[in-house]
Amino acid sequence: MPAPADLARRADQLRQKLQEASYAYYVLDNPVMEDAVYDRLYRELEQLETAYPELVSPDSPTQRVGDRPAERFQTVQHAIALYSLENAFDLAELRAWEDRWQKVAGTGERSPVLEELPLFQAANPARYVCELKIDGSAIALTYEEGLLVRGATRGDGIAGEEITQNIKTIRSIPLRLNTANPPARLEIRGEAFLPLSSFEQINRDRAAAGEALFANPRNAAAGTLRQLDSRIVAERKLDFFAYTLQWPEELDWPDRPRSHWESLEQLAAWGFRVNPNRDRCADLAAVWDYCQRWDQARHDLPYMTDGAVIKLDDLALQTAVGFTNKFPRWAIAYKYPAEEAPSRLLSVTFQVGRTGAITPVAELEPVQLAGTTVARATLHNRDRLLELDLHLGDTVVIRKAGEIIPEVLRVLPELRPDGATRVQMPSHCPACGEAVVQPADEAVTRCINTSCPAIVRGSLRHWASRDALDIDGLGEKLVEQLSEAGLVKSVADLYGLTIAPLLTLERMGQKSAEKLVSAIARSTGQPWARVLYGLGIRHIGSSNAKLLAAQFRSVEALAAATEEELTVVNGIGLEIAKSIREWFGSAANRSLVDRLRSAGLSLVASDPDPDQAIAQPTNATISGKTFVLTGTLPTLTRPETKALIERSGGKVTGSVSKKTDYVVVGEEAGSKLDKARSLGLVCISEAELLELLATA
């Protein structure tokens, strides 16, 4: 049965898009698509061609190993081809790969081919080697009589670009092998990459020079290797991990390794950096354990990795199972869940937040992203909609960047359906029907109806949240019920609730009503800093609320503060100061404060206030200083360390910057330590921190 017309059109669109991405990446040296997006579109095309073989064309990206290299450097032929690796995205695909290579080797776990191999005659053979898949740029190094004579990019796997002068600037690549008895000729394969600290410094320099920033360390590494001026390459401080030792078939060398693991050890002995985070695994269960373990641990590494490479350890077995026309059968790359992925836009909904901000949200075809199924993604605001030029039915690329709702990163207009409708912001609030406004100095579209049920619900949820008044039992569903029943129209109304009207709500019994009323009453004992955060003033987070409450120890003091007085507080800028002045300038908000005071809420800081350890700095050495914690400390937990620093007037943040005063370093410190060193920051141990804290 021939392919339906719409699927044929889709295949044509995918081929064109993938070819454009390959040309931009390999020829123009200007990537336009993330690997994860390319992989998913490639797999979609591959599935279409498998289902309908007549859709396969000679120019399809699925019909060739790679693309031609750029022509700015001399093109050289690889003595031994550099094959791409097949990708696996879950355990089932790893098992299928294992079944395939075993079928080629023979039948069953103990096939005749396997029985003849020396490593498989051991009682507990190590079948696999697992290594982290470094996110950089593959290169091939040629050594003759132990001397580096050529370095080349991967190119299309058959031919690459000769970049020897650039390779020689990478100090982790030996110019001569560390041996008195080198083989006559051999090739080393590995990955040139940029450590995260180097990548961040390069982008800082480019930003200062007004140049476009690199999208990620991989793109930066590829662009660096292809610089015509090797002095620029040297400045960028590329690094290198060796991962394959290629022996010419005719080479007879007495110490030739029998296994891939022995090859890695030989490379290390010759002076190469070999990634230490590798394992020898007896079976696929151990392989899967390795992959899962590093899915989390990789985020603390000083370089990027997007998966793991699994190889058969026995080199004779590698030879026995050989290659397909595109991949080695003896190796596969397990790819971690993508941080970016393509999907199709089904519709757009508009959410109204507690400040009245209207946020468009993309409703998508479900897609796996960073280990979860994603069906919604934020579109931010009107300006972002205009920038994306989004149409219903578009294929979009979504990104998981630590947000609960991922964001739409870009649109692929080449895949847009005919007659698609452009998405636009609403002219009226979807919650209350009032006309919306678009402030001249903001990208956010707002509903300004303070009685809007969506705004009321958002304010109630925020007020009851853990970092604010922490009202146990006042969850999202109950907030919806209270709002719909008209029992609560502002946070102050909570403190007038009684049991009788609560019993009219669905699934609200006597005990539940009593517990809720008691929880609301207990919240009147929360300190001033929490109340300030709960008011929901724009730009005021829980940390800023503590800083403000420490400086302005009553609501009256804060309300009377000028912008100049507010910006004196560490971490409070002009935008926050203006937001505070505007909030207290509203008669409705001042009325709310009066009602909360009458309800017994704490609008004055107690003395001392255990919730505001930073309110009274006691240590001149620590006071006002910014600390970052990295690694595991010998005796203190992170919460304990944070509390000690804040009690002495310091501040603990989660990221390293030029404004960081001290970086407290424990065991297994990650990329934060590398960044701190690159910025020349003061790095101290737990013992040194305790000395600072003890300083009078």
Side-chain angles (χ1 to χ4, degrees):
M1 181 171 142
D6 60 332
L7 294 184
R9 283 196 301 272
R10 180 68 176 175
D12 286 338
Q13 291 175 328
L14 290 168
R15 273 194 293 271
Q16 182 178 351
K17 191 65 182 173
L18 291 169
Q19 287 164 353
E20 289 172 358
S22 293
Y23 180 79
Y25 184 92
Y26 290 105
V27 179
L28 300 183
D29 195 21
N30 182 31
V32 296
M33 184 182 291
E34 289 293 327
D35 280 356
V37 177
Y38 186 99
D39 288 342
R40 287 184 178 273
L41 294 179
Y42 184 98
R43 285 165 73 87
E44 181 182 351
L45 177 59
E46 199 170 39
Q47 290 166 359
L48 283 173
E49 292 178 347
T50 300
Y52 302 99
E54 70 272 20
L55 295 181
V56 177
S57 65
D59 65 340
S60 174
T62 64
Q63 300 305 298
R64 56 182 177 180
V65 174
D67 294 288
R68 60 192 176 95
E71 298 175 357
R72 290 192 297 170
F73 292 89
Q74 180 183 354
T75 299
V76 293
Q77 298 292 312
H78 294 300
I80 303 172
L82 279 77
Y83 280 75
S84 298
L85 292 178
E86 183 181 3
N87 289 330
F89 294 89
D90 53 35
L91 179 58
E93 292 186 352
L94 287 175
R95 286 173 174 157
W97 165 72
E98 184 177 62
D99 289 343
R100 289 194 297 275
W101 76 253
Q102 287 183 354
K103 184 176 180 180
V104 172
T107 56
E109 280 290 305
R110 291 288 180 179
S111 69
V113 172
L114 301 184
E115 292 286 3
E116 293 173 3
L117 299 173
L119 292 187
F120 279 79
Q121 294 171 4
N124 294 298
R127 177 155 301 181
Y128 301 111
V129 173
C130 294
E131 303 165 71
L132 294 180
K133 186 176 181 295
I134 308 302
D135 203 9
S137 189
I139 56 176
L141 310 174
T142 303
Y143 285 81
E144 294 181 354
E145 302 298 339
L147 185 68
L148 176 64
V149 296
R150 192 177 81 178
T153 64
R154 180 187 177 276
D156 64 357
I158 304 301
E161 297 166 327
E162 196 271 321
I163 54 169
T164 307
Q165 284 303 113
N166 288 348
I167 293 298
K168 288 181 177 180
T169 69
I170 304 175
R171 294 185 176 272
S172 50
I173 294 177
L175 300 181
R176 183 182 292 275
L177 299 181
N178 183 26
T179 176
N181 181 32
R185 180 182 174 88
L186 75 161
E187 281 198 14
I188 312 296
R189 305 287 167 75
E191 200 84 2
F193 66 95
L194 274 169
L196 292 175
S197 57
S198 299
F199 169 70
E200 289 162 0
Q201 183 61 53
I202 289 169
N203 268 351
R204 281 195 295 271
D205 294 342
R206 292 177 72 85
E211 299 174 342
L213 303 186
F214 283 118
N216 52 52
R218 174 182 47 77
N219 289 351
T224 298
L225 284 172
R226 302 178 72 249
Q227 287 287 326
L228 295 176
D229 187 347
S230 60
R231 291 173 296 183
I232 296 176
V233 183
E235 290 172 358
R236 292 185 179 176
K237 297 181 174 59
L238 283 166
D239 208 339
F240 177 78
F241 281 130
Y243 53 63
T244 302
L245 176 54
Q246 294 284 357
W247 298 84
E249 293 182 5
E250 67 278 5
L251 180 63
D252 184 17
W253 197 62
D255 298 322
R256 185 167 178 163
R258 296 185 308 163
S259 71
H260 178 62
W261 189 265
E262 291 175 3
S263 294
L264 295 174
E265 292 181 330
Q266 181 65 77
L267 288 168
W270 280 340
F272 289 95
R273 285 196 71 195
V274 178
N275 194 291
N277 303 310
R278 60 187 189 275
D279 267 344
R280 223 172 180 181
C281 299
D283 53 33
L284 209 57
V287 168
W288 186 243
D289 178 70
Y290 174 93
C291 293
Q292 297 305 292
R293 180 161 28 98
W294 279 105
D295 191 10
Q296 295 301 319
R298 64 193 171 107
H299 297 295
D300 294 324
L301 293 170
Y303 48 82
M304 294 291 290
T305 174
D306 61 352
V309 176
I310 301 97
K311 300 176 183 176
L312 294 179
D313 191 27
D314 194 301
L315 297 181
L317 180 57
Q318 288 187 12
T319 301
V321 300
F323 298 79
T324 70
N325 65 332
K326 296 168 64 176
F327 309 118
R329 291 191 179 93
W330 44 265
I332 195 167
Y334 170 72
K335 301 291 285 287
Y336 288 121
E339 300 296 328
E340 294 185 8
S343 183
R344 292 197 204 182
L345 179 69
L346 303 178
S347 64
V348 174
T349 56
F350 297 92
Q351 297 181 340
V352 185
R354 61 183 175 84
T355 65
I358 299 176
T359 303
V361 177
E363 307 293 339
L364 307 162
E365 284 186 350
V367 63
Q368 284 294 312
L369 181 63
T372 60
T373 301
V374 173
R376 312 182 82 207
T378 182
L379 294 164
H380 297 293
N381 52 46
R382 181 198 63 173
D383 287 358
R384 185 57 176 154
L385 274 185
L386 292 173
E387 181 183 357
L388 289 170
D389 186 28
L390 194 64
H391 290 61
L392 296 179
D394 271 346
T395 298
V396 299
V397 177
I398 55 176
R399 173 171 63 187
K400 190 72 172 288
E403 300 178 68
I404 296 174
I405 300 179
E407 66 173 342
V408 172
L409 184 61
R410 60 184 176 275
V411 178
L412 304 180
E414 298 85 352
L415 304 180
R416 177 171 294 155
D418 294 337
T421 303
R422 178 181 281 108
V423 178
Q424 296 180 323
M425 291 295 293
S427 59
H428 290 73
C429 175
C432 69
E434 292 289 322
V436 300
V437 299
Q438 181 69 52
D441 59 343
E442 295 184 21
V444 176
T445 303
R446 292 189 184 279
C447 172
I448 57 174
N449 174 18
T450 56
S451 299
C452 174
I455 295 176
V456 172
R457 289 193 296 268
S459 299
L460 290 170
R461 287 192 295 266
H462 178 72
W463 181 263
S465 65
R466 181 173 298 178
D467 289 338
L469 279 294
D470 193 18
I471 301 176
D472 186 37
L474 187 55
E476 186 166 349
K477 289 185 178 179
L478 184 52
V479 165
E480 294 280 346
Q481 287 182 288
L482 291 170
S483 175
E484 289 176 2
L487 296 177
V488 176
K489 296 181 180 178
S490 81
V491 296
D493 290 338
L494 289 170
Y495 298 92
L497 280 175
T498 59
I499 293 174
L502 289 175
L503 295 176
T504 64
L505 301 179
E506 185 180 356
R507 296 187 179 182
M508 178 64 73
Q510 181 74 25
K511 287 186 177 180
S512 297
E514 290 174 355
K515 285 183 179 180
L516 178 61
V517 171
S518 296
I520 292 171
R522 283 195 304 273
S523 72
T524 60
Q526 294 287 14
W528 161 224
R530 284 178 173 263
V531 176
L532 174 56
Y533 173 59
L535 291 175
I537 301 173
R538 289 178 61 202
H539 309 308
I540 301 296
S542 58
S543 296
N544 284 339
K546 287 183 179 182
L547 292 169
L548 288 163
Q551 182 69 29
F552 304 98
R553 299 179 63 78
S554 70
V555 69
E556 289 82 9
L558 183 62
T562 65
E563 288 183 6
E564 184 178 0
E565 290 170 333
L566 289 165
T567 55
V568 169
V569 180
N570 182 32
I572 304 301
L574 185 59
E575 187 176 20
I576 296 177
K578 286 182 176 180
S579 180
I580 294 170
R581 297 304 311 136
E582 289 173 0
W583 196 91
F584 282 103
S586 164
N589 291 335
R590 293 195 300 271
S591 175
L592 173 63
V593 169
D594 291 340
R595 293 184 63 194
L596 292 174
R597 183 186 291 107
S598 298
L601 272 295
S602 177
L603 304 178
V604 178
S606 59
D607 193 14
D609 185 347
D611 195 52
Q612 296 184 49
I614 62 172
Q616 295 292 334
T618 59
N619 186 317
T621 305
I622 300 295
S623 180
K625 302 296 184 183
T626 300
F627 291 73
V628 171
L629 312 178
T630 181
T632 304
L633 299 181
T635 63
L636 295 173
T637 65
R638 287 206 175 194
E640 290 170 342
T641 309
K642 184 174 185 288
L644 286 171
I645 292 170
E646 290 185 343
R647 198 169 296 137
S648 295
K651 180 173 67 172
V652 178
T653 64
S655 59
V656 175
S657 72
K658 291 181 179 179
K659 295 182 179 180
T660 303
D661 296 293
Y662 295 98
V663 178
V664 184
V665 181
E667 292 182 3
E668 299 182 359
S671 58
K672 292 178 183 177
L673 176 58
D674 293 314
K675 184 172 182 179
R677 287 171 174 167
S678 71
L679 294 175
L681 301 179
V682 178
C683 298
I684 60 175
S685 63
E686 179 190 289
E688 290 169 319
L689 171 65
L690 294 174
E691 287 181 13
L692 284 176
L693 292 169
T695 303

